[in-house]
Amino acid sequence: MCGIVGYIGEQEAYPILIKGLHRLEYRGYDSAGVSMINAKGDLNVYKATGKVKALEDKCANEDVTGSIGIAHTRWATHGEPNTVNAHPHLSQSKNLSLVHNGIIENYKTLRVMLEKEGYTFCSDTDTEVLVQLIEYTQKKGRCDLFTAVQRALKNVIGAYAIAILQKDHPDQLVCARKGSPLVIGVGTDARGQKEFYLGSDATPIVEYTKQVVYLKDEEIAYMDRTGKLDIVNLQKVHQTPEMHTLSLSLDELEKGGFPHFMLKEIWEQPNALRTCIKGRLHSKSHDIILSGITDHKEKFINARRIIICACGTSWHSALIGKYFIEEVAQIPVEVEYASEFRYRNPVIYPDDVVIAVSQSGETADTLAAIQLAEQKGAFLYGICNVIGSSIARATNSGTYLHVGPEIGVASTKAFTGQVITLCLLGLAIAKEKHTLSDDMFHMLVDELYQIPDKIQWTLENNKNIDQFAQMFTYCRNFIFLGRGYNYPVALEGALKLKEISYIHAEGYPAAEMKHGPIALIDSEMPVFVIATRDRLYEKVISNIQEVRARGGRVTALVTEGDTQIQKFADHIITLPDTMECFQPLIASIPLQLLAYHIAVCKGKDVDRPRNLAKSVTVE
Ligand code: AGP
């Protein structure tokens, strides 16, 4: 969704801001803008709709000088994506310039109040209300910007991350957050003086410094050219900045020779998953060490139930997690769409464990769902990829995926990272609860350890999927079928295709076909069936025959060495053998590749599909 970049120091701000906006492009946006104060004290604002490149083109002949600035990529919520609604927004006197991520829920009431005070508005946005409110508060209270922001935000309901420049004080930058992430990078300039960077995440910052402060909810920060960093909360209590060192490297943010981040991330999966299990899964001692579980083992041993809240792809991984945890740890698991859960009045017991699964750790619905669970007394566990993200901070315990930054909007390595983490979690609980025999526990540990190699095999042996995908480029509908552990894989296969190729696709439990969707089958309908050798193998063969009998074109994902299904399927994709419960980790790989190559054949913007955002920070 929206992205914020900021800088104050001795360097020219514009190149840092533009590069930062490019780094944040993956989050999704529809307009961009930048604002700097130059040496003469002019506050300049430039905005453009569309790509950051359009903003750069617009700025090519403008005065973009100045060593302090803020910039923004906007994903429209209030008001259409045009240059008026794009950020930064100026206050009435044009003394303040502000960028904002999030949604101000009471902006209409505030706007009416400000209009009565003589303020006029040019845009439809809630953000313009915010900058006017800060100016109004500053003038009324005759105070400095830092104080005005603290006072103004007390009247604001909603979520925000903001950064503000003040024309007549070009030596200071003020920012604040509540509900939307904001990271402050603390660097050192050529003269040894502290300089500050801002980012919605660490990606625009890592190039300049590894030292960061993750601003916490309801904190307001002041930075200036003397190197001063002052943080207070909304209660005006001073906070000591907690410095963190980023482990992120610049290479991880580049395509590394791949044409798209998505393809790079698909191929990164074997290594990413090795990193994910490193230090946690011990093949020699057949052990699992997951500190997030061990440190709170009583909570898991005594859990009446586990509820997993998630959205999109993370919801699919949660479903696989449910099957696995119930099987190995014998605890009932419910999987909830966070967006539904938060607006019901769900029954939550104090001995429930509520797990949030989220790649970004910033998904607004998932965050709200766990906040609700917390109010009802549940123990909260987070499974996130982004270090220091809101969900990671809001939970009592958790496990990071450690699969590296995922830039492509379509989740791939984070999905398999979530699945493998949920498997680790299930086994760690099973160990504490003694729900598995030693032999079975060892077998599962050993097999899970092999999974990254088996994914590598799958990637190497399915290199021709690009040619195969060409056959399907012009199909208008797809069906993906699976049963048991492979049913969520079918859902995920359909979602991947929809997201990046804009082809309508449905994922279904194979046996449910005859209850309705089989009516869709004809010779125009490609049907992908996950038919690996497992408990439901024979049943899936019957489902394939039902599809074939209606003229459907079947592609079956089969276990290496399978000879039966060839008789019934038009095409075969071969997968290495593994235990049924780990099959999703393997079977999802060719479906990711298929979605990717179809989207490429159709000429789509694979990494930044239309209308989608990487991190959905609004509900
Ligand atoms: C995945 O391909 C999607 N872009 C989307 O469904 C995503 O999984 C969902 O928005 C949840 O995001 P999160 O994992 O960051 O919470």
Side-chain angles (χ1 to χ4, degrees):
M1 302 228 125
C2 306
I4 288 178
V5 189
Y7 175 74
I8 178 167
E10 287 305 310
Q11 302 181 57
E12 276 302 309
Y14 178 74
I16 296 169
L17 299 175
I18 285 293
K19 206 169 205 183
L21 290 184
H22 279 300
R23 294 262 185 239
L24 291 177
E25 279 188 308
Y26 78 98
R27 293 166 71 92
Y29 67 101
D30 38 47
S31 55
V34 65
S35 176
M36 284 90 32
I37 305 174
N38 68 15
K40 288 185 275 173
D42 305 320
L43 194 160
N44 294 313
V45 178
Y46 307 105
K47 308 180 193 184
T49 51
K51 303 282 180 200
V52 173
K53 178 74 178 59
L55 177 67
E56 279 184 274
D57 292 344
K58 193 164 192 174
C59 290
N61 299 315
E62 302 287 352
D63 175 10
V64 289
T65 60
S67 54
I68 176 169
I70 52 177
H72 191 261
T73 45
R74 173 175 187 254
W75 193 85
T77 55
H78 294 76
E80 58 179 271
N82 57 31
T83 46
V84 176
N85 290 333
H87 304 203
H89 284 278
L90 288 171
S91 61
Q92 185 129 310
S93 71
K94 300 196 171 19
N95 191 36
L96 303 181
S97 169
L98 177 145
V99 290
H100 164 226
N101 292 353
I103 290 182
I104 306 304
E105 287 167 21
N106 61 335
Y107 82 104
K108 282 191 182 143
T109 321
L110 294 171
R111 184 168 166 150
V112 170
M113 183 278 285
L114 289 162
E115 278 168 346
K116 281 190 191 145
E117 296 291 335
Y119 281 80
T120 54
F121 294 83
C122 351
S123 78
D124 307 321
T125 64
D126 51 342
T127 303
E128 197 185 3
V129 173
L130 204 49
V131 70
Q132 305 284 39
L133 179 71
I134 294 168
E135 175 161 294
Y136 166 74
T137 312
Q138 191 176 19
K139 284 194 169 163
K140 204 172 162 212
R142 295 168 188 273
C143 55
D144 58 36
L145 179 63
F146 192 33
T147 311
V149 173
Q150 294 166 42
R151 288 183 188 165
L153 290 180
K154 286 220 162 206
N155 299 306
V156 168
I157 301 171
Y160 51 79
I162 53 172
I164 316 151
L165 298 181
Q166 181 174 347
K167 184 181 173 202
D168 53 17
H169 270 286
D171 49 352
Q172 62 174 26
L173 183 57
V174 174
C175 66
R177 80 155 274 185
K178 184 184 171 195
S180 290
L182 204 54
V183 186
I184 301 172
V186 183
T188 312
D189 69 18
R191 302 171 316 150
Q193 179 78 32
K194 265 191 194 152
E195 55 183 357
F196 298 102
Y197 301 84
L198 285 185
S200 289
D201 58 38
T203 57
I205 296 174
V206 66
E207 194 160 350
Y208 310 102
T209 176
K210 296 240 170 187
Q211 298 306 304
V212 295
V213 176
Y214 295 100
L215 209 59
K216 296 184 188 136
D217 263 356
E218 302 199 342
E219 283 186 346
I220 302 126
Y222 165 96
M223 291 145 275
D224 69 20
R225 291 182 196 279
T226 68
K228 183 174 172 190
L229 170 62
D230 196 2
I231 300 180
V232 294
N233 64 16
L234 275 183
Q235 284 67 47
K236 298 201 173 100
V237 180
H238 282 265
Q239 309 291 307
T240 313
E242 257 177 57
M243 206 65 80
H244 296 263
T245 304
L246 294 174
S247 55
L248 189 68
S249 80
L250 210 49
D251 288 351
E252 292 177 283
L253 304 177
E254 308 287 353
K255 288 187 194 145
F258 285 90
H260 296 98
F261 281 109
M262 182 178 174
L263 190 62
K264 176 185 174 226
E265 287 156 8
I266 290 173
W267 276 86
E268 272 174 354
Q269 285 175 105
N271 276 337
L273 298 190
R274 280 181 197 113
T275 312
C276 177
I277 60 177
K278 197 173 171 191
R280 295 165 169 174
L281 190 67
H282 301 270
S283 68
K284 284 197 183 125
S285 56
H286 304 289
D287 202 5
I288 302 262
I289 299 171
L290 213 56
S291 57
I293 300 291
T294 342
D295 295 350
H296 302 274
K297 62 180 175 195
E298 296 307 322
K299 292 278 177 201
F300 287 91
I301 292 170
N302 300 320
R304 174 195 294 237
R305 185 173 61 150
I306 291 175
I307 301 172
I308 312 183
C309 294
C311 301
T313 286
S314 299
W315 189 88
H316 297 156
S317 68
L319 211 51
I320 299 165
K322 166 191 163 76
Y323 291 6
F324 187 75
I325 297 166
E326 286 190 342
E327 189 162 0
V328 302
Q330 300 293 303
I331 303 179
V333 181
E334 290 171 19
V335 176
E336 297 268 1
Y337 283 116
S339 53
E340 290 295 315
F341 184 80
R342 65 180 289 194
Y343 286 116
R344 289 199 282 111
N345 187 13
V347 176
I348 302 171
Y349 303 104
D351 50 357
D352 280 339
V353 171
V354 174
I355 301 180
V357 180
S358 172
Q359 186 285 132
S360 61
E362 300 295 345
T363 302
D365 285 322
T366 310
L367 189 57
I370 57 167
Q371 283 163 347
L372 174 69
E374 186 179 34
Q375 283 160 22
K376 296 195 176 219
F379 180 78
L380 305 183
Y381 198 89
I383 295 183
C384 302
N385 192 34
V386 178
I387 316 279
S389 54
S390 300
I391 292 172
R393 305 171 79 91
T395 40
N396 302 108
S397 181
T399 305
Y400 281 119
L401 304 183
H402 289 311
V403 295
E406 189 178 68
I407 308 290
V409 162
S411 188
T412 53
K413 64 175 178 174
F415 169 73
T416 45
Q418 289 165 345
V419 174
I420 211 161
T421 302
L422 285 158
C423 291
L424 292 174
L425 182 125
L427 287 171
I429 304 172
K431 182 177 116 177
E432 301 296 350
K433 289 189 73 185
H434 306 288
T435 44
L436 291 173
S437 68
D438 285 353
D439 284 352
M440 181 50 87
F441 188 81
H442 292 175
M443 206 192 296
L444 286 162
V445 167
D446 288 348
E447 185 58 22
L448 196 53
Y449 201 79
Q450 302 299 318
I451 291 295
D453 292 345
K454 293 193 176 183
I455 292 178
Q456 187 75 46
W457 187 99
T458 311
L459 288 164
E460 301 286 351
N461 285 274
N462 284 291
K463 279 188 177 152
N464 60 349
I465 286 197
D466 54 346
Q467 290 147 36
F468 181 64
Q470 285 173 16
M471 283 193 289
F472 297 99
T473 311
Y474 297 103
C475 294
R476 296 168 65 91
N477 300 287
F478 274 75
I479 289 182
F480 292 84
L481 301 177
R483 297 188 73 160
Y485 280 96
N486 284 327
Y487 157 51
V489 178
L491 294 178
E492 178 59 10
L495 181 66
K496 284 287 88 80
L497 190 64
K498 276 185 259 205
E499 280 190 294
I500 56 170
S501 68
Y502 320 145
I503 296 173
H504 170 245
E506 302 229 20
Y508 243 83
E512 276 294 302
M513 282 295 283
K514 53 188 167 298
H515 300 292
I518 203 159
L520 297 169
I521 303 291
D522 62 17
S523 59
E524 306 273 284
M525 178 68 85
V527 181
F528 279 70
V529 188
I530 305 138
T532 46
R533 216 176 293 113
D534 55 37
R535 278 177 289 186
L536 293 165
Y537 177 70
E538 296 297 338
K539 303 221 176 271
V540 174
I541 291 183
S542 306
N543 300 139
I544 291 177
Q545 284 171 308
E546 287 160 13
V547 172
R548 278 298 290 267
R550 275 114 192 135
R553 292 158 61 192
V554 173
T555 301
L557 281 72
V558 302
T559 309
E560 195 189 6
D562 188 302
T563 48
Q564 267 205 68
I565 292 185
Q566 289 184 346
K567 293 177 224 145
F568 311 109
D570 300 281
H571 310 286
I572 294 290
I573 292 175
T574 306
L575 307 173
D577 195 14
T578 184
M579 293 168 83
E580 186 177 332
C581 55
F582 301 137
Q583 200 62 67
L585 288 158
I586 310 284
S588 53
I589 306 298
L591 300 185
Q592 295 171 350
L593 287 168
L594 180 84
Y596 170 80
H597 287 296
I598 291 179
V600 169
C601 288
K602 290 178 84 73
K604 302 299 179 201
D605 188 350
V606 176
D607 285 334
R608 291 190 292 266
R610 70 182 181 198
N611 306 338
L612 297 182
K614 183 69 185 161
S615 147
V616 185
T617 51
V618 295
E619 60 171 297

